[in-house]
């Protein structure tokens, strides 16, 4: 099972960055050495996580980070994308928790020693619970607290970081957390969802300013998720529904960053559901980015519902991943080219792409051929976007290893490395070997 790049592939360019990605809450464990966060609280509520699990131990990366760095280095990647747990580095009074900071400093130094670029995400959903108790992202003040956290961390990390992303997928922290209610803190309220989205974007803008000041040498940006929105039928109503979904789920985050305003759909929301936007906010949000991170997994199909709104139509026919998500690689080219047409984009990195598969360890091996095919197809989708004239500077596989998949718990495995949660043993899947060989083969031809 191989992943191959054409001899003329733009992904063979020496400065194209290949990496693997993780997030703090999903792998670290070590809950006793950080503050509790909203996901700890959510996991403790019965019925929230499908397998009843939590992130207290996860992949125990906090104790095994050294071996994990060796694993990353052995894959031959150029870069490693990971996130900082806010509540590990900042105390309740806003001061630095030196022990927590040292953990990341060691990690950064180990990466630097191996020539691996550090792509640091400051917020991958694990808001400290004490901030939630003060109102969390519903409160404007949380955006300022986030900028302060970004300030402290970026000063302490010095020049060790190649790239900072302020937020990972604000769509999830706003929509899944406050409208769909399936992510922490599990609220279902549209007005709150829109308000949280606005405060997250504000937090991004405030923090970006700080990062550009403290770490001007780093590439500073944000990571958004995109899913092309397709109509279930050619009917005018469904076509309109898909366009509304695109505005609500995709453009809601990108347009403010690129053009300093929300999509038109905002005006169609009843006043009571519109977010409070203070004078000057949109300018803070729309500062120039050094890069845009794009996470892509699948497309989504929508139909009009009888409330004048849109409903998604879950896919039923194969090929589907273990998440039930349709495998739709051409959607990656589509979203990339679509955003490139609409906006004047900064350089793009594909910061997450991957698939959960029902992996089985058999005689010490995991033959995840479907995941290998997934990567192959999606790398080709990236090539096509570049060939069509777009600037894409890198690609990160989600994920380095199996981990805590949020509301799905540990049952869904996205890793290219298999984790046995009883022994914490890591085993390379066929996909890890295929990616490693692909990375290694890049320089030989072309
Ligand atoms: C993304 C998240 C990441 C992971 C993948 C499967 O939305 O950023 O943490 O859970 O989905």
């Amino acid at each position: 099972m191989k992943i191959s790049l054409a001899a003329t592939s733009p992904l063979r360019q020496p400065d194209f960055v290949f990496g693997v990605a993780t997030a703090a809450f999903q792998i670290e464990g070590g809950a006793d050495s950080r503050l509790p966060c909203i996901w700890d609280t959510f996991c403790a509520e019965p019925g929230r996580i499908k397998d009843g699990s939590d992130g207290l131990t996860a992949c125990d990366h906090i104790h095994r980070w050294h071996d994990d760095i060796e694993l990353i280095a052995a894959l031959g990647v150029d870069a490693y994308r990971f996130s900082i747990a806010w509540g590990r580095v900042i105390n309740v009074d806003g001061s630095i928790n030196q022990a927590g900071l040292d953990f990341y400093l060691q990690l950064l130094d180990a990466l630097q020693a191996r020539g691996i670029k550090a792509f640091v995400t400051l917020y991958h959903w694990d808001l400290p619970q004490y901030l939630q108790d003060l109102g969390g992202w519903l409160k404007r003040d949380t955006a300022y607290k986030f900028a302060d956290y970004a300030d402290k961390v970026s000063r302490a990390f010095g020049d060790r970081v190649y790239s900072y992303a302020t937020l990972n997928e604000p769509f999830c922290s706003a929509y899944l957390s406050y409208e769909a209610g399936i992510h922490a803190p599990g609220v279902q309220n549209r007005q709150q969802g829109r308000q949280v989205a606005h405060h997250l974007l504000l937090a991004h803008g405030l923090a970006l300013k700080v990062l550009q000041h403290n770490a001007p040498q780093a590439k500073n940006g944000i990571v958004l998720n995109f899913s092309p929105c397709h109509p279930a039928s050619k009917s005018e109503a469904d076509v309109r529904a898909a366009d509304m979904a695109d505005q609500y789920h995709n453009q809601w985050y990108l347009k403010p960053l690129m053009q300093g305003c929300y999509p038109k759909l905002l005006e169609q929301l009843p006043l009571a559901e519109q977010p409070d936007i203070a004078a000057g906010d949109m300018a803070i949000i729309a500062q120039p980015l050094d890069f845009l991170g794009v996470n892509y997994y699948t497309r989504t199909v929508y139909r009009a519902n009888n409330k004048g709104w849109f409903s998604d139509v879950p896919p039923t026919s194969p090929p589907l991943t273990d998440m039930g998500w349709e495998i739709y690689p051409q959607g990656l080219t589509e979203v990339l080219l679509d955003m490139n047409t609409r906006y004047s984009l900064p350089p793009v990195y594909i910061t997450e792409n991957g698939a959960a598969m029902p992996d089985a360890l058999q005689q010490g091996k995991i033959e995840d051929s479907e995941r290998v095919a997934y990567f192959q197809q999606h790398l080709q989708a990236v090539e096509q976007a570049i060939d069509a004239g777009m600037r894409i500077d890198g690609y990160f596989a989600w994920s380095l290893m199996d981990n805590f998949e949020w509301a799905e718990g540990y049952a869904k495995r996205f890793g290219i490395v298999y984790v046995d949660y009883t022994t914490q043993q890591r085993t390379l899947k066929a996909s890890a070997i295929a990616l490693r060989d692909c990375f290694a083969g890049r320089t030989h031809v072309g």
Side-chain angles (χ1 to χ4, degrees):
M1 267 175 282
K2 277 192 163 179
I3 295 174
S4 48
L5 301 175
T8 55
S9 169
L11 308 193
R12 283 182 183 271
Q13 291 300 315
D15 46 1
F16 189 86
V17 171
F18 272 109
V20 287
T22 63
F25 191 83
Q26 294 180 277
I27 65 162
E28 282 182 2
D32 51 350
S33 49
R34 58 160 171 78
L35 297 175
C37 73
I38 54 175
W39 273 92
D40 294 310
T41 311
F42 197 63
C43 291
E45 292 171 16
R48 294 297 202 181
I49 311 299
K50 290 220 176 106
D51 62 1
S53 62
D54 56 48
L56 299 180
T57 307
C59 306
D60 197 30
H61 174 70
I62 198 82
H63 298 117
R64 295 165 196 269
W65 66 271
H66 204 266
D67 290 346
D68 289 339
I69 296 284
E70 293 303 339
L71 191 64
I72 293 166
L75 291 171
V77 295
D78 308 305
Y80 174 46
R81 173 174 179 244
F82 63 100
S83 80
I84 309 295
W86 186 342
R88 191 178 288 292
V89 293
I90 303 291
N91 295 315
V92 173
D93 65 2
S95 63
I96 286 181
N97 172 10
Q98 194 57 46
L101 194 78
D102 286 346
F103 168 68
Y104 295 111
L105 283 171
Q106 282 179 327
L107 200 71
L108 288 167
D109 287 340
L111 290 171
Q112 205 165 45
R114 287 161 184 75
I116 299 169
K117 295 179 168 69
F119 279 65
V120 168
T121 301
L122 291 176
Y123 186 70
H124 202 124
W125 311 351
D126 44 358
L127 187 73
Q129 182 60 41
Y130 78 93
L131 290 175
Q132 183 66 26
D133 297 341
L134 294 170
W137 291 113
L138 281 171
K139 286 276 149 40
R140 206 180 154 79
D141 189 47
T142 302
Y144 290 87
K145 294 240 170 59
F146 179 70
D148 187 53
Y149 151 58
D151 180 45
K152 296 211 164 82
V153 164
S154 55
R155 280 176 200 273
F157 288 170
D159 62 3
R160 294 172 176 85
V161 175
Y162 182 82
S163 161
Y164 282 104
T166 52
L167 309 176
N168 177 72
E169 301 188 356
F171 156 86
C172 295
S173 312
Y175 181 76
L176 297 184
S177 297
Y178 278 88
E179 294 188 49
I182 56 172
H183 276 191
V187 176
Q188 289 182 315
N189 179 306
R190 182 175 294 161
Q191 197 284 331
Q192 292 195 10
R194 294 302 97 181
Q195 193 61 61
V196 163
H198 183 68
H199 287 155
L200 283 160
L201 287 168
L202 178 66
H204 155 79
L206 294 168
L208 187 66
K209 218 181 239 180
V210 166
L211 294 172
Q212 298 294 31
H213 179 263
N214 291 354
Q217 77 291 342
K219 293 181 196 294
N220 300 314
I222 187 171
V223 170
L224 303 181
N225 56 303
F226 294 90
S227 184
C229 300
H230 290 169
S233 76
K234 287 189 180 133
S235 77
E236 208 181 298
D238 284 351
V239 170
R240 197 177 331 111
D243 176 62
M244 286 165 77
D246 179 53
Q247 293 188 51
Y248 203 68
H249 292 324
N250 295 324
Q251 312 308 327
W252 202 274
Y253 304 91
L254 187 54
K255 195 173 167 74
L257 296 166
M258 296 294 125
Q259 299 178 340
C261 59
Y262 283 104
K264 280 216 168 341
L265 187 63
L266 173 76
E267 294 152 25
Q268 284 174 43
L269 296 181
L271 265 186
E273 291 180 353
Q274 295 185 14
D276 292 330
I277 303 172
D281 283 2
M282 299 315 288
I284 296 174
I285 292 170
Q287 293 161 78
L289 299 167
D290 296 337
F291 79 96
L292 172 69
V294 170
N295 293 354
Y296 176 81
Y297 289 93
T298 188
R299 71 160 172 168
T300 318
V301 175
Y302 292 95
R303 62 171 178 78
N305 64 24
N306 54 15
K307 293 182 200 121
W309 201 243
F310 51 85
S311 299
D312 62 310
V313 183
T316 47
S317 46
L320 304 179
T321 70
D322 203 27
M323 295 291 279
W325 297 347
E326 184 182 358
I327 299 178
Y328 194 79
Q330 60 272 46
L332 176 53
T333 316
E334 180 187 325
V335 275
L336 288 168
L337 295 183
D338 177 66
M339 67 176 90
N340 201 37
T341 309
R342 290 183 201 226
Y343 306 107
S344 172
L345 295 175
V348 163
Y349 287 90
I350 309 304
T351 32
E352 285 181 28
N353 177 237
M357 293 293 172
D359 300 314
L361 186 64
Q362 279 165 339
Q363 283 138 17
K365 289 188 171 173
I366 301 98
E367 300 291 351
D368 57 339
S369 51
E370 287 176 301
R371 186 179 286 105
V372 173
Y374 183 100
F375 284 127
Q376 174 77 64
Q377 292 163 352
H378 287 76
L379 286 169
Q380 276 162 358
V382 176
E383 282 174 357
Q384 280 167 24
I386 299 175
D387 287 342
M390 192 168 168
R391 175 160 171 197
I392 301 173
D393 286 1
Y395 174 95
F396 290 78
W398 183 272
S399 175
L400 164 67
M401 57 184 158
D402 296 334
N403 57 50
F404 177 77
E405 179 45 37
W406 309 110
E408 302 290 333
Y410 294 95
K412 301 293 182 229
R413 295 179 174 271
F414 272 92
I416 58 170
V417 173
Y418 185 89
V419 177
D420 176 332
Y421 293 109
T422 325
T423 59
Q424 289 294 351
Q425 197 186 331
R426 279 82 158 125
T427 307
L428 299 193
K429 300 180 191 177
S431 56
I433 295 165
L435 281 172
R436 182 193 67 193
D437 294 349
C438 166
F439 301 156
R442 268 179 304 169
T443 45
H444 299 159
V445 200

